[in-house]
Amino acid sequence: MTRNEKIKIAERINLYADEKLKNVDKQVVPISIQLDLLKPIMEEIAAEYGKSVSDIFILYMDINSELQAEEAKKKQEKEIEFDLK
């Protein structure tokens, strides 16, 4: 699976999460319940790719971590660039 495919899967899950979790207080509702709300989209994607739901969850967490790290690095580089001016 290519990185772009992984990103598209993460985006798809994030869009679903935005809709399903929009009225959920993420500070109060346990993560296990939040994950249960995301299970249908993960099951759908798992079936499409012939993977387990666990595999899709791990893929989702990994690619989100990578993307967040890249964003943090870009932000840090911009801050350094700004400081040098």
Side-chain angles (χ1 to χ4, degrees), residues 61-74:
M61 297 304 288
D62 287 348
I63 197 68
N64 272 336
S65 293
E66 286 178 30
L67 294 173
Q68 287 175 357
E70 289 171 11
E71 278 298 311
K73 184 178 178 182
K74 285 179 188 176

Side-chain angles (χ1 to χ4, degrees):
M1 183 178 302
T2 67
R3 187 170 195 275
N4 282 341
E5 286 175 310
K6 292 176 184 179
I7 290 170
K8 285 181 182 180
I9 288 171
E11 289 172 345
R12 189 170 159 194
I13 294 170
N14 286 335
L15 284 172
Y16 185 88
D18 288 345
E19 182 62 31
K20 284 292 183 181
L21 301 177
K22 69 181 174 188
N23 296 322
V24 173
D25 184 346
K26 294 172 186 86
Q27 302 300 320
V28 176
V29 177
I31 191 72
S32 59
I33 292 173
Q34 293 178 47
L35 288 173
D36 279 344
L37 292 171
L38 300 180
K39 195 172 182 181
I41 190 65
M42 290 192 188
E43 288 173 332
E44 184 178 309
I45 294 168
E48 290 171 14
Y49 284 88
K51 304 241 181 233
S52 70
V53 173
S54 296
D55 288 340
I56 297 301
F57 175 73
I58 291 167
L59 178 147
Y60 174 68
M61 297 304 288
D62 287 348
I63 197 68
N64 272 336
S65 293
E66 286 178 30
L67 294 173
Q68 287 175 357
E70 289 171 11
E71 278 298 311
K73 184 178 178 182
K74 285 179 188 176
K75 183 179 178 185
Q76 184 180 30
E77 288 171 354
K78 284 184 182 182
E79 288 172 357
I80 291 170
E81 192 177 298
F82 179 75
D83 289 342
L84 293 176
K85 290 183 179 180

